[in-house]
């Protein structure tokens, strides 16, 4: 009989943990890229001079997406077992992190579509609520512990597939810390402005919010038990797309798909 301290069992648990974590983090990052893309798509339609409307209850799909995230977040015990809870509840929350596709847009006068219509501005508000739910889901992820709670085992700390990437990992953690400090400073200035009735412009408010999500995602990725060179470069590119200039955040609106390996 092989004990739990035997090398074969350790390797089996290690492999399972990494696989589950990769599924969760990968879906988390891809889900955000899809959600951000849909928001920008509808935002463009809302600001267009050509008017139209959405048909097919698209907002209802985003509301369902929002509810799934909120329910999971409420049920999650927050004990460092997010990955395990995610895997266990996939059957109950089949649509969790699966972002709805924006479709059914028809320009005014294009045809005789019937049914309930929704303007792009209204749908944009529904998507923003989904983004808020995604943020709370992401922010509540207590990822500082191994979900197996095997704290003293060697694989509970981040490793790199290529030993040459240790310097890159170290530099990324330093860069992440700087971005977090910059974001905290910007948020303090924002709160100060609000007390003096100087609210941020809508585009700056959303860029600030989206940058917070990007930074939090990078933080989560860097806590994975194993990181590849491609994944480290993904983190680097994400951080490089966020800059702080003249008391504002400047964020590149580009989608970077998270590499599985």
């Amino acid at each position: 009989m092989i004990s739990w301290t035997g090398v074969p069992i350790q390797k089996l648990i290690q492999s399972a943990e990494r696989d589950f974590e990769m599924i969760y983090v990968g879906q988390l990052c891809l889900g955000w890229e899809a959600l951000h893309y849909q928001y920008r798509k509808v935002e463009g339609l809302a600001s267009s001079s050509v008017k139209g409307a959405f048909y097919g209850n698209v907002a209802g799909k985003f509301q369902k997406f929002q509810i799934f995230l909120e329910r999971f977040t409420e049920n999650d015990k927050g004990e460092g077992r997010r990955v395990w809870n995610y895997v266990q509840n996939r059957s109950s929350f089949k649509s969790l992190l699966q972002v709805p596709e924006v479709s059914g847009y028809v320009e005014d006068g294009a045809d005789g579509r019937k049914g309930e219509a929704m303007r792009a501005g209204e749908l944009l508000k529904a998507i923003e609520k989904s983004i808020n739910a995604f943020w709370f889901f992401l922010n509540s992820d207590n990822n500082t512990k191994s979900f197996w709670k095997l704290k003293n085992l060697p694989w509970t700390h981040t490793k790199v597939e290529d030993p040459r990437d240790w310097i890159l990992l170290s530099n990324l953690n330093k860069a992440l810390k700087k971005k977090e400090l910059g974001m905290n400073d910007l948020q303090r200035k924002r709160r100060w402005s609000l007390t003096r009735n100087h609210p941020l412009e809508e585009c700056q408010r959303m860029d600030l919010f989206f940058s917070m999500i990007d930074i939090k995602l990078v933080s989560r990725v860097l806590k994975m038990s194993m990181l590849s060179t491609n994944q480290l470069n993904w983190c680097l590119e994400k951080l490089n797309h966020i800059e702080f200039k003249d008391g504002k955040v400047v964020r590149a609106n580009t989608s970077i798909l998270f590499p599985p390996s």
Side-chain angles (χ1 to χ4, degrees):
M1 180 177 178
I2 301 177
S3 68
W4 279 96
T5 57
V7 174
I9 295 298
Q10 288 182 359
K11 288 185 177 180
L12 180 62
I13 296 175
Q14 177 185 11
S15 177
E17 180 178 29
R18 287 176 180 170
D19 288 345
F20 290 149
E21 186 179 42
M22 183 64 252
I23 292 171
Y24 167 70
V25 174
Q27 189 62 51
L28 193 65
C29 295
L30 293 174
W32 166 237
E33 296 300 337
L35 193 56
H36 175 257
Y37 172 78
Q38 302 289 36
Y39 179 88
R40 293 301 187 190
K41 179 180 178 180
V42 177
E43 182 185 44
L45 292 172
S47 61
S48 173
S49 58
V50 179
K51 300 303 178 183
F54 286 93
Y55 295 84
N57 193 27
V58 184
K61 296 176 182 178
F62 278 96
Q63 185 179 33
K64 185 178 180 181
F65 173 80
Q66 173 192 340
I67 291 172
F68 276 138
L69 286 173
E70 290 173 343
R71 285 181 179 174
F72 184 93
T73 304
E74 290 172 2
N75 294 335
D76 191 32
K77 298 183 183 301
E79 298 175 348
R81 297 175 59 88
R82 168 61 64 86
V83 174
W84 182 237
N85 290 339
Y86 174 76
V87 172
Q88 281 188 317
N89 288 285
R90 283 294 296 274
S91 58
S92 302
F93 298 94
K94 292 181 180 180
S95 298
L96 187 67
L97 295 178
Q98 294 182 13
V99 180
E101 181 181 0
V102 170
S103 60
Y105 183 77
V106 178
E107 294 181 3
D108 289 349
D111 63 14
R113 289 289 294 270
K114 296 181 179 180
E116 185 177 353
M118 173 172 282
R119 294 295 181 182
E122 296 175 285
L123 179 57
L124 199 64
K125 293 178 181 178
I127 298 177
E128 188 173 339
K129 289 181 180 178
S130 292
I131 293 175
N132 283 326
F134 180 87
W135 165 250
F136 285 117
F137 174 87
L138 174 63
N139 202 39
S140 65
D141 181 359
N142 182 2
N143 51 61
T144 59
K145 304 174 185 176
S146 165
F147 71 87
W148 292 101
K149 294 190 176 181
L150 303 176
K151 299 179 182 179
N152 297 321
L153 295 178
W155 63 79
T156 60
H157 304 288
T158 299
K159 294 182 179 180
V160 290
E161 290 183 354
D162 188 338
R164 293 172 296 182
D165 288 333
W166 277 116
I167 295 177
L168 176 57
L169 176 60
S170 176
N171 290 337
L172 277 170
N173 279 309
K174 293 176 183 177
L176 174 64
K177 187 64 176 179
K178 288 183 179 180
K179 298 294 183 183
E180 289 174 337
L181 290 173
M183 186 62 66
N184 290 338
D185 183 58
L186 206 57
Q187 287 178 301
R188 282 195 297 269
K189 291 179 180 178
R190 179 193 176 192
R191 287 192 291 269
W192 182 86
S193 297
L194 288 174
T195 61
R196 284 155 179 77
N197 295 320
H198 295 143
L200 292 176
E201 295 180 1
E202 181 65 14
C203 61
Q204 178 61 200
R205 183 181 72 86
M206 296 309 295
D207 278 347
L208 179 63
F209 186 27
F210 293 167
S211 297
M212 287 169 56
I213 294 175
D214 285 337
I215 290 173
K216 183 65 71 172
L217 281 173
V218 170
S219 175
R220 180 61 186 89
V221 171
L222 290 179
K223 288 184 174 71
M224 289 175 62
S225 56
M226 177 66 74
L227 286 166
S228 68
T229 301
N230 288 335
Q231 290 162 352
L232 290 168
N233 285 329
W234 179 89
C235 292
L236 179 62
E237 193 170 357
K238 272 289 185 184
L239 293 179
N240 286 341
H241 283 177
I242 300 172
E243 296 182 10
F244 303 102
K245 294 181 179 179
D246 302 323
K248 295 182 179 180
V249 63
V250 179
R251 177 182 181 274
N253 290 325
T254 56
S255 295
I256 313 170
L257 297 183
F258 184 72
S261 61

